[in-house]
Coordinates of all heavy atoms in Angstrom, one line a residue:
D567 N 0.9 -1.2 0.0 CA 0.0 0.0 0.0 C 0.8 1.2 0.0 O 1.6 1.5 1.0 CB -0.9 0.0 1.2 CG -2.0 1.1 1.2 OD1 -1.9 1.9 0.2 OD2 -2.8 1.1 2.0
N568 N 0.9 2.0 -1.1 CA 1.8 3.2 -1.2 C 1.3 4.3 -0.3 O 2.1 5.3 -0.1 CB 1.8 3.7 -2.6 CG 2.5 2.7 -3.5 OD1 3.4 2.0 -3.1 ND2 2.2 2.8 -4.8
R569 N 0.1 4.2 0.3 CA -0.3 5.4 1.1 C 0.2 5.2 2.6 O 0.2 6.2 3.3 CB -1.8 5.3 1.2 CG -2.5 5.6 -0.2 CD -3.9 5.4 -0.1 NE -4.1 4.0 0.0 CZ -5.2 3.4 0.2 NH1 -6.4 4.1 0.4 NH2 -5.4 2.1 0.3
K570 N 0.8 4.1 2.9 CA 1.4 3.9 4.2 C 2.9 4.2 4.2 O 3.5 3.9 3.2 CB 1.1 2.4 4.7 CG -0.3 2.2 4.9 CD -0.5 0.8 5.5 CE -2.0 0.5 5.7 NZ -2.1 -0.9 6.3
H571 N 3.3 4.7 5.3 CA 4.7 5.0 5.4 C 5.3 4.3 6.7 O 4.8 4.6 7.7 CB 4.9 6.6 5.5 CG 6.3 7.0 5.7 ND1 7.3 7.0 4.7 CD2 6.9 7.5 6.8 CE1 8.4 7.4 5.2 NE2 8.2 7.7 6.4
S572 N 6.3 3.6 6.5 CA 7.0 3.0 7.6 C 8.2 3.8 8.0 O 8.9 4.3 7.1 CB 7.4 1.5 7.3 OG 8.3 1.5 6.3
Y573 N 8.4 4.0 9.3 CA 9.4 4.9 9.7 C 10.4 4.1 10.6 O 10.0 3.6 11.6 CB 8.8 6.0 10.6 CG 9.8 7.0 11.2 CD1 10.5 7.9 10.5 CD2 10.1 6.8 12.6 CE1 11.4 8.8 11.2 CE2 11.1 7.6 13.2 CZ 11.7 8.6 12.4 OH 12.6 9.4 13.0
K574 N 11.7 4.1 10.1 CA 12.8 3.5 10.9 C 13.9 4.4 10.8 O 14.3 5.0 9.8 CB 13.2 2.2 10.3 CG 12.1 1.1 10.5 CD 12.7 -0.2 9.9 CE 11.6 -1.3 10.0 NZ 12.2 -2.5 9.4
E575 N 14.5 4.8 11.9 CA 15.7 5.7 12.1 C 16.9 5.1 11.4 O 17.1 3.9 11.4 CB 15.9 6.1 13.4 CG 15.0 7.0 14.0 CD 15.3 7.6 15.4 OE1 16.4 7.2 16.0 OE2 14.6 8.4 15.9
I576 N 17.7 6.0 10.9 CA 19.1 5.6 10.4 C 20.0 6.3 11.3 O 19.9 7.5 11.6 CB 19.3 6.1 9.0 CG1 18.3 5.4 8.0 CG2 20.7 5.8 8.6 CD1 18.3 5.9 6.6
H577 N 21.0 5.6 11.9 CA 22.0 6.1 12.8 C 23.3 6.1 12.1 O 23.8 5.0 11.7 CB 22.0 5.3 14.1 CG 20.7 5.5 14.9 ND1 20.5 6.5 15.7 CD2 19.7 4.7 15.0 CE1 19.4 6.3 16.3 NE2 18.8 5.2 15.9
I578 N 24.0 7.2 12.0 CA 25.3 7.3 11.4 C 26.3 7.9 12.4 O 26.0 8.9 13.0 CB 25.2 8.2 10.1 CG1 24.3 7.7 9.1 CG2 26.6 8.4 9.5 CD1 24.1 8.6 7.9
G579 N 27.4 7.1 12.6 CA 28.3 7.5 13.6 C 29.2 8.7 13.3 O 28.9 9.3 12.3
K580 N 30.1 9.0 14.2 CA 30.9 10.1 14.0 C 32.0 9.8 12.9 O 32.5 8.7 12.8 CB 31.7 10.5 15.3 CG 30.6 10.9 16.4 CD 31.3 11.2 17.6 CE 30.3 11.6 18.7 NZ 30.8 11.6 20.0
Y581 N 32.5 10.9 12.2 CA 33.5 10.8 11.2 C 33.2 9.8 10.1 O 34.1 9.1 9.6 CB 34.8 10.5 11.9 CG 35.2 11.5 12.9 CD1 35.1 11.2 14.2 CD2 35.7 12.7 12.5 CE1 35.4 12.2 15.2 CE2 36.0 13.7 13.5 CZ 35.9 13.4 14.8 OH 36.1 14.4 15.7
C582 N 31.9 9.7 9.7 CA 31.6 8.8 8.6 C 31.6 9.6 7.3 O 31.4 10.8 7.3 CB 30.2 8.2 8.8 SG 30.1 7.0 10.1
W583 N 32.0 9.0 6.2 CA 31.9 9.5 4.9 C 31.0 8.8 4.1 O 31.0 7.5 4.0 CB 33.3 9.4 4.2 CG 34.4 10.3 4.8 CD1 34.3 11.1 5.9 CD2 35.7 10.3 4.3 NE1 35.6 11.7 6.1 CE2 36.4 11.2 5.2 CE3 36.4 9.7 3.3 CZ2 37.8 11.5 5.1 CZ3 37.8 10.0 3.2 CH2 38.4 10.9 4.1
I584 N 30.0 9.4 3.4 CA 29.0 8.8 2.5 C 29.3 9.3 1.1 O 29.2 10.4 0.9 CB 27.5 9.2 3.0 CG1 27.4 9.0 4.5 CG2 26.6 8.4 2.2 CD1 27.6 7.6 5.1
G585 N 29.6 8.4 0.3 CA 29.9 8.7 -1.1 C 28.6 9.1 -1.9 O 27.5 8.8 -1.5
M586 N 28.8 9.9 -2.9 CA 27.7 10.4 -3.6 C 26.8 9.3 -4.3 O 27.4 8.3 -4.8 CB 28.3 11.3 -4.8 CG 27.2 12.0 -5.6 SD 28.0 13.1 -6.8 CE 26.6 13.7 -7.7
G587 N 25.5 9.5 -4.2 CA 24.6 8.6 -4.7 C 24.4 7.3 -3.9 O 23.7 6.4 -4.3
A588 N 25.1 7.2 -2.7 CA 24.9 6.0 -1.8 C 23.5 6.1 -1.2 O 22.9 7.1 -0.9 CB 25.9 6.0 -0.9
L589 N 22.9 4.8 -1.1 CA 21.6 4.7 -0.4 C 21.8 4.0 0.9 O 22.4 2.9 0.9 CB 20.6 3.9 -1.4 CG 20.3 4.5 -2.7 CD1 19.4 3.6 -3.5 CD2 19.6 5.9 -2.5
I590 N 21.2 4.5 1.9 CA 21.3 3.8 3.2 C 19.8 3.6 3.6 O 19.1 4.5 3.8 CB 22.0 4.7 4.3 CG1 23.4 5.0 3.9 CG2 21.9 4.0 5.6 CD1 24.2 5.9 4.7
L591 N 19.4 2.3 3.7 CA 18.1 1.9 3.9 C 17.6 2.2 5.3 O 18.4 2.2 6.3 CB 17.8 0.5 3.5 CG 18.1 0.2 2.0 CD1 17.7 -1.3 1.7 CD2 17.3 1.1 1.1
P592 N 16.3 2.4 5.5 CA 15.8 2.5 6.9 C 16.2 1.4 7.9 O 16.2 0.3 7.6 CB 14.3 2.5 6.7 CG 14.1 2.9 5.3 CD 15.3 2.3 4.5
G593 N 16.5 1.9 9.1 CA 16.9 0.9 10.2 C 18.3 0.5 10.2 O 18.8 -0.1 11.1
V594 N 19.1 1.1 9.3 CA 20.6 0.7 9.3 C 21.3 1.6 10.3 O 21.0 2.8 10.5 CB 21.1 0.9 7.9 CG1 22.7 1.0 7.9 CG2 20.6 0.0 7.0
V595 N 22.3 0.9 11.0 CA 23.2 1.6 11.9 C 24.6 1.5 11.4 O 25.1 0.4 11.1 CB 23.1 0.9 13.3 CG1 24.1 1.6 14.3 CG2 21.6 1.0 13.9
L596 N 25.3 2.6 11.2 CA 26.7 2.7 10.8 C 27.5 3.3 12.0 O 27.2 4.4 12.5 CB 26.9 3.5 9.6 CG 26.1 3.1 8.3 CD1 26.4 4.1 7.2 CD2 26.6 1.7 7.9
G597 N 28.5 2.5 12.4 CA 29.4 2.9 13.6 C 30.3 4.1 13.1 O 30.4 4.4 11.9
D598 N 31.1 4.5 14.1 CA 32.1 5.6 13.9 C 33.1 5.1 12.8 O 33.4 4.0 12.6 CB 32.8 5.9 15.1 CG 31.9 6.4 16.3 OD1 30.8 6.9 15.9 OD2 32.3 6.5 17.4
Y599 N 33.5 6.1 12.0 CA 34.6 6.0 11.0 C 34.2 4.9 10.0 O 35.0 4.2 9.5 CB 35.9 5.6 11.7 CG 36.5 6.6 12.5 CD1 36.2 6.7 13.9 CD2 37.3 7.6 12.0 CE1 36.8 7.6 14.7 CE2 37.8 8.6 12.7 CZ 37.6 8.6 14.1 OH 38.1 9.6 14.9
T600 N 32.9 5.0 9.5 CA 32.5 4.1 8.4 C 32.5 4.9 7.1 O 32.0 6.0 7.1 CB 31.0 3.6 8.7 OG1 31.1 2.9 9.9 CG2 30.6 2.7 7.5
I601 N 33.1 4.3 6.1 CA 33.2 5.0 4.7 C 32.3 4.2 3.8 O 32.4 2.9 3.7 CB 34.6 5.0 4.3 CG1 35.5 5.8 5.2 CG2 34.6 5.6 2.9 CD1 37.0 5.8 5.0
V602 N 31.4 4.8 3.2 CA 30.4 4.2 2.2 C 30.8 4.7 0.9 O 30.8 5.9 0.6 CB 29.0 4.5 2.6 CG1 28.0 3.8 1.5 CG2 28.7 4.1 4.0
G603 N 31.1 3.7 0.0 CA 31.5 4.0 -1.4 C 30.3 4.6 -2.2 O 29.2 4.3 -1.9
A604 N 30.7 5.5 -3.1 CA 29.7 6.1 -4.1 C 28.9 5.1 -4.7 O 29.4 4.1 -5.2 CB 30.4 7.0 -5.1
G605 N 27.5 5.3 -4.8 CA 26.6 4.5 -5.4 C 26.3 3.1 -4.7 O 25.6 2.3 -5.2
S606 N 26.8 3.0 -3.5 CA 26.5 1.7 -2.7 C 25.1 1.8 -2.1 O 24.6 2.8 -1.9 CB 27.5 1.6 -1.6 OG 28.9 1.5 -2.0
V607 N 24.6 0.5 -1.9 CA 23.3 0.4 -1.3 C 23.5 -0.4 0.0 O 23.8 -1.6 0.0 CB 22.4 -0.4 -2.2 CG1 21.0 -0.5 -1.5 CG2 22.2 0.3 -3.5
V608 N 23.4 0.3 1.2 CA 23.6 -0.3 2.4 C 22.3 -0.8 3.0 O 21.4 -0.1 3.3 CB 24.2 0.7 3.4 CG1 24.6 0.1 4.8 CG2 25.5 1.4 2.8
T609 N 22.2 -2.2 3.0 CA 21.0 -2.8 3.4 C 21.0 -3.4 4.8 O 20.0 -3.8 5.4 CB 20.7 -4.0 2.4 OG1 21.8 -4.9 2.5 CG2 20.4 -3.5 1.1
K610 N 22.2 -3.5 5.4 CA 22.3 -4.0 6.8 C 23.3 -3.2 7.6 O 24.0 -2.3 7.0 CB 22.8 -5.5 6.8 CG 24.2 -5.7 6.2 CD 24.6 -7.2 6.3 CE 26.1 -7.3 6.0 NZ 26.6 -8.7 6.2
S611 N 23.2 -3.3 8.9 CA 24.0 -2.5 9.8 C 25.4 -3.0 9.9 O 25.7 -4.1 9.9 CB 23.3 -2.5 11.2 OG 22.0 -1.8 11.1
F612 N 26.3 -2.0 10.2 CA 27.7 -2.2 10.6 C 27.9 -1.4 11.8 O 28.7 -0.3 11.7 CB 28.6 -1.8 9.4 CG 28.4 -2.7 8.2 CD1 27.5 -2.4 7.2 CD2 29.2 -3.8 8.0 CE1 27.3 -3.2 6.1 CE2 29.1 -4.6 6.9 CZ 28.1 -4.3 6.0
P613 N 27.4 -1.7 12.9 CA 27.5 -0.9 14.1 C 28.9 -0.8 14.8 O 29.1 0.2 15.4 CB 26.5 -1.6 15.2 CG 26.5 -3.1 14.7 CD 26.7 -3.0 13.2
D614 N 29.8 -1.7 14.5 CA 31.2 -1.6 15.0 C 32.0 -0.5 14.2 O 33.0 0.1 14.8 CB 31.9 -2.9 14.9 CG 31.2 -3.9 15.8 OD1 30.5 -3.6 16.8 OD2 31.3 -5.2 15.5
G615 N 31.6 -0.1 13.0 CA 32.3 0.9 12.3 C 33.7 0.5 11.9 O 34.0 -0.6 11.8
Y616 N 34.6 1.6 11.7 CA 35.9 1.4 11.4 C 36.1 0.5 10.1 O 36.8 -0.5 10.2 CB 36.7 0.9 12.5 CG 36.8 1.9 13.6 CD1 35.9 1.7 14.7 CD2 37.8 2.9 13.7 CE1 35.9 2.6 15.8 CE2 37.7 3.8 14.8 CZ 36.8 3.7 15.8 OH 36.9 4.6 16.8
C617 N 35.3 0.7 9.1 CA 35.4 -0.1 7.9 C 35.0 0.7 6.6 O 34.5 1.8 6.7 CB 34.5 -1.2 8.1 SG 32.7 -0.8 8.3
V618 N 35.3 0.1 5.5 CA 35.0 0.7 4.2 C 33.9 -0.2 3.5 O 34.2 -1.4 3.5 CB 36.2 0.8 3.3 CG1 35.8 1.4 1.9 CG2 37.3 1.7 4.0
L619 N 32.8 0.3 3.1 CA 31.7 -0.5 2.5 C 31.6 -0.1 1.1 O 31.7 1.1 0.8 CB 30.4 -0.2 3.3 CG 30.4 -0.3 4.8 CD1 29.0 0.1 5.3 CD2 30.7 -1.7 5.2
A620 N 31.2 -1.0 0.2 CA 31.0 -0.8 -1.1 C 30.1 -1.8 -1.8 O 30.2 -2.9 -1.3 CB 32.3 -0.6 -2.0
G621 N 29.4 -1.5 -2.8 CA 28.7 -2.5 -3.6 C 27.2 -2.4 -3.4 O 26.7 -1.6 -2.7
N622 N 26.5 -3.3 -4.1 CA 25.0 -3.4 -4.0 C 24.7 -4.9 -3.9 O 24.8 -5.6 -5.0 CB 24.4 -2.8 -5.3 CG 22.9 -2.9 -5.2 OD1 22.3 -3.3 -4.3 ND2 22.3 -2.5 -6.3
P623 N 24.3 -5.4 -2.7 CA 24.3 -4.7 -1.4 C 25.7 -4.4 -1.0 O 26.6 -5.2 -1.3 CB 23.5 -5.7 -0.6 CG 23.8 -7.1 -1.1 CD 24.0 -6.8 -2.6
A624 N 25.8 -3.4 -0.1 CA 27.2 -3.0 0.4 C 27.7 -4.2 1.2 O 27.0 -4.7 2.1 CB 27.0 -1.8 1.2
Q625 N 29.0 -4.4 1.1 CA 29.8 -5.4 1.8 C 31.0 -4.6 2.4 O 31.5 -3.7 1.8 CB 30.2 -6.5 1.0 CG 29.0 -7.3 0.4 CD 29.6 -8.4 -0.5 OE1 30.7 -8.7 -0.5 NE2 28.7 -9.1 -1.1
M626 N 31.6 -5.1 3.5 CA 32.8 -4.6 4.0 C 33.9 -5.1 3.1 O 34.2 -6.3 2.9 CB 33.1 -5.1 5.4 CG 34.2 -4.4 6.0 SD 34.8 -5.0 7.7 CE 33.3 -5.6 8.5
I627 N 34.7 -4.1 2.6 CA 35.8 -4.4 1.7 C 37.1 -4.1 2.4 O 38.1 -4.6 1.9 CB 35.7 -3.6 0.4 CG1 35.8 -2.2 0.5 CG2 34.5 -4.1 -0.5 CD1 35.9 -1.3 -0.7
K628 N 37.1 -3.5 3.6 CA 38.4 -3.2 4.2 C 38.0 -2.7 5.7 O 37.0 -2.1 5.9 CB 39.1 -2.0 3.6 CG 40.5 -1.7 4.2 CD 41.1 -0.7 3.5 CE 42.5 -0.3 4.2 NZ 43.2 0.7 3.5
E629 N 38.8 -3.3 6.7 CA 38.7 -2.8 8.0 C 39.8 -1.7 8.2 O 40.8 -1.8 7.7 CB 38.9 -4.0 9.0 CG 37.8 -4.9 9.1 CD 38.0 -5.9 10.2 OE1 38.2 -5.4 11.3 OE2 37.9 -7.1 10.0
L630 N 39.4 -0.7 9.0 CA 40.3 0.4 9.3 C 41.0 0.1 10.6 O 40.3 -0.4 11.6 CB 39.5 1.7 9.3 CG 38.8 2.1 8.0 CD1 38.1 3.4 8.2 CD2 39.8 2.3 6.9
D631 N 42.2 0.5 10.8 CA 42.9 0.4 12.1 C 42.5 1.5 13.0 O 42.7 2.6 12.7 CB 44.5 0.5 11.8 CG 45.3 0.3 12.9 OD1 44.7 0.0 14.1 OD2 46.5 0.4 12.9
K632 N 41.9 1.0 14.2 CA 41.4 2.0 15.1 C 42.4 2.9 15.7 O 42.2 4.1 16.0 CB 40.7 1.3 16.3 CG 39.4 0.6 15.9 CD 38.8 -0.1 17.1 CE 37.5 -0.8 16.6 NZ 36.8 -1.4 17.8
E633 N 43.7 2.5 15.7 CA 44.8 3.3 16.2 C 45.1 4.4 15.3 O 45.6 5.5 15.7 CB 46.0 2.4 16.5 CG 45.8 1.2 17.4 CD 45.5 1.7 18.9 OE1 46.0 2.7 19.3 OE2 44.6 1.1 19.5
K634 N 44.9 4.3 14.0 CA 45.2 5.3 13.1 C 44.1 6.3 12.8 O 44.3 7.4 12.2 CB 45.6 4.6 11.7 CG 46.9 3.9 11.8 CD 47.4 3.4 10.5 CE 48.7 2.6 10.6 NZ 49.1 2.1 9.4
C635 N 42.9 6.0 13.3 CA 41.8 6.9 13.1 C 41.8 8.0 14.3 O 41.8 7.7 15.5 CB 40.4 6.2 13.3 SG 40.2 5.0 11.9
I636 N 42.0 9.2 13.8 CA 42.2 10.3 14.8 C 40.9 11.0 15.1 O 40.1 11.4 14.2 CB 43.2 11.3 14.2 CG1 44.5 10.7 13.9 CG2 43.3 12.5 15.1 CD1 45.4 11.5 13.0
F637 N 40.6 11.1 16.5 CA 39.4 11.7 17.0 C 39.7 13.2 17.0 O 40.7 13.6 17.5 CB 38.9 11.2 18.3 CG 37.8 11.9 18.8 CD1 36.5 11.6 18.4 CD2 38.0 12.9 19.8 CE1 35.4 12.3 18.9 CE2 36.8 13.5 20.4 CZ 35.6 13.2 19.9
H638 N 38.8 14.1 16.5 CA 39.0 15.5 16.6 C 37.7 16.2 17.0 O 36.6 15.9 16.4 CB 39.4 16.0 15.2 CG 39.4 17.6 15.1 ND1 40.3 18.3 15.7 CD2 38.5 18.4 14.6 CE1 40.0 19.6 15.6 NE2 38.9 19.8 14.8
K639 N 37.8 17.0 18.1 CA 36.6 17.7 18.5 C 36.8 19.2 18.3 O 37.6 19.8 18.8 CB 36.3 17.4 20.0 CG 35.0 18.1 20.4 CD 34.6 17.5 21.8 CE 33.3 18.3 22.2 NZ 32.2 17.5 22.3
S640 N 35.9 19.7 17.4 CA 36.0 21.1 17.1 C 35.4 22.0 18.2 O 34.4 21.5 18.9 CB 35.3 21.3 15.7 OG 35.2 22.7 15.5
T641 N 35.9 23.2 18.3 CA 35.3 24.0 19.3 C 34.0 24.6 18.8 O 33.2 25.1 19.6 CB 36.3 25.3 19.6 OG1 36.6 25.9 18.4 CG2 37.5 24.8 20.3
N642 N 33.8 24.6 17.5 CA 32.5 25.0 16.9 C 31.8 23.7 16.3 O 32.1 23.3 15.2 CB 32.8 26.0 15.7 CG 33.5 27.2 16.2 OD1 33.2 27.7 17.2 ND2 34.6 27.5 15.5
E643 N 30.7 23.3 17.1 CA 30.0 22.1 16.6 C 28.7 22.5 16.0 O 28.0 23.5 16.4 CB 29.7 21.2 17.8 CG 30.9 20.6 18.5 CD 30.6 19.6 19.5 OE1 29.8 18.6 19.2 OE2 31.1 19.7 20.6
Y644 N 28.4 21.9 14.9 CA 27.2 22.2 14.2 C 26.4 20.9 13.9 O 26.9 19.8 13.7 CB 27.5 22.9 12.8 CG 27.9 24.3 13.0 CD1 29.2 24.6 13.3 CD2 27.0 25.3 12.8 CE1 29.5 25.9 13.5 CE2 27.3 26.6 13.0 CZ 28.6 27.0 13.3 OH 29.0 28.2 13.5
N645 N 25.0 21.1 13.8 CA 24.2 20.0 13.2 C 23.7 20.6 11.9 O 22.8 21.4 11.9 CB 23.0 19.7 14.1 CG 23.5 19.0 15.4 OD1 23.9 19.7 16.3 ND2 23.2 17.8 15.5
G646 N 24.3 20.1 10.8 CA 24.0 20.8 9.5 C 24.6 22.2 9.6 O 25.8 22.4 9.8
Y647 N 23.7 23.2 9.4 CA 24.2 24.6 9.4 C 23.8 25.3 10.7 O 24.0 26.5 10.8 CB 23.6 25.4 8.2 CG 22.2 25.4 8.1 CD1 21.4 26.4 8.7 CD2 21.5 24.4 7.5 CE1 20.0 26.4 8.7 CE2 20.1 24.4 7.4 CZ 19.4 25.4 8.0 OH 18.0 25.4 8.0
I648 N 23.3 24.6 11.7 CA 22.9 25.1 12.9 C 23.7 24.9 14.1 O 24.2 23.7 14.2 CB 21.4 24.6 13.3 CG1 20.5 25.0 12.1 CG2 20.9 25.1 14.6 CD1 19.2 24.2 12.1
E649 N 24.2 25.9 14.8 CA 25.0 25.6 16.0 C 24.4 24.5 16.9 O 23.2 24.5 17.1 CB 25.2 26.9 16.8 CG 26.1 27.9 16.2 CD 26.3 29.1 17.0 OE1 26.7 28.8 18.3 OE2 26.2 30.2 16.6
H650 N 25.3 23.6 17.4 CA 24.8 22.5 18.2 C 24.0 23.0 19.4 O 23.0 22.4 19.9 CB 26.1 21.7 18.7 CG 25.6 20.5 19.4 ND1 25.0 19.4 18.9 CD2 25.9 20.1 20.7 CE1 24.7 18.5 19.8 NE2 25.3 18.9 21.0
S651 N 24.5 24.1 20.1 CA 23.7 24.6 21.2 C 22.4 25.1 21.0 O 21.5 25.1 21.9 CB 24.6 25.7 21.9 OG 24.8 26.8 20.9
K652 N 22.1 25.5 19.7 CA 20.7 25.9 19.3 C 19.9 24.9 18.6 O 18.7 25.1 18.3 CB 20.9 27.2 18.4 CG 21.6 28.3 19.1 CD 21.9 29.4 18.1 CE 22.6 30.6 18.7 NZ 22.9 31.6 17.7
F653 N 20.5 23.7 18.3 CA 19.8 22.7 17.5 C 18.5 22.1 18.1 O 17.5 21.9 17.5 CB 20.7 21.5 17.1 CG 20.1 20.6 16.2 CD1 19.8 20.8 15.0 CD2 19.6 19.3 16.7 CE1 19.2 20.0 14.1 CE2 19.0 18.4 15.9 CZ 18.8 18.7 14.6
E654 N 18.6 21.9 19.5 CA 17.4 21.3 20.1 C 16.2 22.2 20.0 O 15.1 21.7 19.7 CB 17.7 21.0 21.6 CG 16.7 20.2 22.3 CD 16.5 18.8 21.7 OE1 17.4 18.3 21.2 OE2 15.3 18.3 21.9
D655 N 16.3 23.5 20.2 CA 15.2 24.4 20.0 C 14.8 24.4 18.6 O 13.5 24.5 18.3 CB 15.6 25.9 20.5 CG 15.9 25.9 21.9 OD1 15.3 25.1 22.7 OD2 16.7 26.8 22.3
Y656 N 15.7 24.4 17.7 CA 15.3 24.4 16.2 C 14.5 23.1 15.9 O 13.5 23.1 15.2 CB 16.6 24.5 15.3 CG 16.3 24.3 13.9 CD1 15.9 25.4 13.1 CD2 16.4 23.1 13.2 CE1 15.6 25.3 11.8 CE2 16.1 22.9 11.9 CZ 15.8 24.0 11.2 OH 15.6 23.9 9.9
R657 N 15.0 22.0 16.4 CA 14.4 20.6 16.1 C 12.9 20.7 16.7 O 12.0 20.3 16.0 CB 15.2 19.5 16.9 CG 14.6 18.1 16.5 CD 15.2 17.1 17.4 NE 14.9 17.2 18.8 CZ 13.8 16.8 19.3 NH1 12.8 16.4 18.6 NH2 13.6 17.0 20.6
K658 N 12.8 21.2 17.9 CA 11.4 21.2 18.5 C 10.4 22.1 17.7 O 9.3 21.8 17.5 CB 11.4 21.7 20.0 CG 12.1 20.6 20.9 CD 12.1 21.1 22.2 CE 12.8 20.2 23.2 NZ 13.0 20.7 24.5
L659 N 11.0 23.2 17.2 CA 10.2 24.1 16.5 C 9.9 23.7 15.1 O 8.7 23.9 14.6 CB 10.8 25.5 16.5 CG 10.1 26.7 15.8 CD1 8.9 27.0 16.6 CD2 11.0 27.9 15.8
N660 N 10.8 23.2 14.3 CA 10.7 22.9 12.9 C 10.6 21.4 12.4 O 10.1 21.2 11.4 CB 11.8 23.5 12.2 CG 11.9 25.1 12.4 OD1 10.9 25.7 12.0 ND2 12.9 25.5 13.0
L661 N 11.1 20.5 13.2 CA 11.3 19.1 12.7 C 10.1 18.2 13.2 O 9.9 17.2 12.5 CB 12.6 18.6 13.0 CG 13.8 19.2 12.5 CD1 15.1 18.6 12.9 CD2 13.7 19.4 11.0
H662 N 9.5 18.5 14.2 CA 8.3 17.7 14.8 C 8.7 16.3 14.9 O 7.9 15.4 14.6 CB 7.1 17.9 13.8 CG 6.7 19.3 13.5 ND1 6.3 20.2 14.5 CD2 6.8 20.0 12.4 CE1 6.1 21.3 14.0 NE2 6.4 21.3 12.8
V663 N 9.9 16.0 15.4 CA 10.4 14.6 15.6 C 10.6 14.4 17.1 O 11.2 15.2 17.7 CB 11.6 14.2 14.7 CG1 12.0 12.9 15.0 CG2 11.3 14.4 13.3

């Protein structure tokens, strides 16, 4: 039935790169430092992260060394183009989620 809409969240970890044209299906969880190749279709979760995914359906093609992945925390944090400190008010007002 096309009139019904099922809602499942997608969780994307920190420092993830999503290639152009990649599709991430509802309910998928991607852990920190996950790289998704351009045009890939991610149909299942990779919650541990630290990997490179590619293909249709996406498969792990490489594991990343956790020791070489550098964590960086900026003094200016944003959610999209909105300052992180102001995002909760924006979300309540505009996103209705």
Side-chain angles (χ1 to χ4, degrees):
D567 187 355
N568 290 336
R569 295 170 291 172
K570 293 183 180 180
H571 176 73
S572 65
Y573 173 79
K574 292 182 184 176
E575 289 188 354
I576 297 171
H577 294 278
I578 299 176
K580 296 177 181 166
Y581 302 102
C582 291
W583 293 358
I584 311 296
M586 185 173 172
L589 298 175
I590 302 173
L591 297 185
V594 168
V595 176
L596 298 178
D598 296 345
Y599 294 93
T600 300
I601 300 170
V602 179
S606 298
V607 180
V608 184
T609 59
K610 65 178 187 172
S611 295
F612 293 86
D614 295 334
Y616 295 93
C617 60
V618 179
L619 310 175
N622 180 7
Q625 297 178 8
M626 185 183 333
I627 59 171
K628 182 177 180 180
E629 284 191 51
L630 301 177
D631 184 3
K632 290 183 181 183
E633 301 297 322
K634 292 184 179 179
C635 294
I636 300 169
F637 177 79
H638 170 74
K639 182 164 177 117
S640 175
T641 55
N642 302 313
E643 292 187 57
Y644 285 84
N645 292 77
Y647 59 89
I648 300 164
E649 285 185 48
H650 183 68
S651 60
K652 298 176 183 176
F653 183 74
E654 189 61 26
D655 293 332
Y656 175 85
R657 184 188 67 77
K658 288 178 183 175
L659 183 64
N660 297 299
L661 299 181
H662 308 293
V663 178

